[in-house]
Amino acid sequence: EIKTFLDEKEINISEPAATGLRPILNFSQIPASKLLSKKPFASFTTPTPIQSASWPFALSGRDVIGIAETGSGKTLAFSLPCIEALNSSPKPKSTRGARARAVIVSPTRELAMQTHAAISVLAELVGLSAVCLYGGASKDEQRALLRRNSGADIIVATPGRLKDFLSEGDVSLADVMFAVLDEADRMLDKGFEDDIKQILGACPAREKRQTLMFTATWPTSVRGLAESFMVDPIKVTIGKRTF
Ligand code: ADP
Ligand code: MG
């Protein structure tokens, strides 16, 4: 039955049998499913293939590589496990100085803003805050958001601006437990490799955090990122692809 589902949806999981984890076919199977009854998720009836296949691993704490094309629902694929991870661990006493516990890196300002809008909906439902940092806009306004009393549990950012804020001491990633590289292939195409290395280098060691990476393609450069920054990642591929 599972094999039929995986074949039908063209889902390939790098170690399907060994893990004992089954795809999530229904929103009711996930602990945080209550969250999804809220707008704008209320209209979603079933998880998309990348959500079905990656959630069991991401929710169990594994590092996950998701390879799927645009429009396949990757934002919720990483946002839900991110919220779950933060919500089920104790919140540090002081969030002042923007000690983020999750960081999501996006290739463009537009994508960062879209992701921030989507994850903010979930975050607010459980009392977490998310801040969006991107270039081409006032640093002072973004710095003010980082310094709010509500803190910044989740930072969604483009690589260049986040690197600037890191080096200027406005952001600390020392408490990050959940890191996401979204559209990793596009970030490398745009020359952000060094920024990404600095950002992940400012997070706790890869053994001490969970790292998710999403990409539409799987070139050597993206494999290199996975090798350097992930621990025994499970690879979930959607669509007919041979790598
Ligand atoms: P990607 O990041 O893979 O390009 P998005 O996460 O931006 O895709 O999702 C694409 C669209 O699909 C968005 O409008 C999103 O709200 C919608 N979507 C995501 N998950 C579901 C779902 N399970 N059911 C219906 N629509 C969904
Ligand atoms: Mg996306």
Side-chain angles (χ1 to χ4, degrees), residues 3-97:
K3 194 182 174 309
T4 313
F5 173 81
L6 296 178
D7 287 348
E8 249 170 37
K9 306 286 182 194
E10 297 182 340
I11 299 171
N12 186 279
I13 299 174
S14 55
E15 40 180 293
T19 60
L21 292 173
R22 308 155 62 100
I24 290 175
L25 306 183
N26 237 298
F27 287 126
S28 61
Q29 285 170 262
I30 45 179
S33 61
K34 272 196 321 237
L35 297 181
L36 300 178
S37 62
K38 304 284 194 274
K39 269 194 298 186
F41 312 108
S43 65
F44 297 4
T45 53
T46 48
T48 67
I50 187 73
Q51 292 163 5
S52 284
S54 66
W55 274 338
F57 302 104
L59 289 167
S60 75
R62 287 278 309 259
D63 282 3
V64 178
I65 299 167
I67 307 178
E69 61 190 26
T70 304
S72 54
K74 291 184 292 267
T75 313
L76 192 57
F78 62 73
S79 295
L80 189 84
C82 175
I83 296 295
E84 271 293 284
L86 264 54
N87 199 29
S88 58
S89 82
K91 197 166 173 159
K93 281 203 187 76
S94 171
T95 53
R96 284 186 47 222

Side-chain angles (χ1 to χ4, degrees), residues 12 52 77 108 114 118 198:
N12 186 279
S52 284
T108 68
Q114 279 171 27
Q198 280 194 44

Side-chain angles (χ1 to χ4, degrees), residues 135-174:
S138 155
K139 270 192 181 167
D140 289 341
E141 276 173 34
Q142 293 175 6
R143 202 176 282 118
L145 293 175
L146 289 169
R147 289 180 181 167
R148 280 180 313 187
N149 285 336
S150 54
D153 300 298
I154 302 164
I155 288 179
V156 185
T158 51
R161 180 56 60 97
L162 179 53
K163 187 199 67 181
D164 289 352
F165 275 132
L166 263 177
S167 59
E168 291 158 17
D170 294 299
V171 167
S172 166
L173 299 179

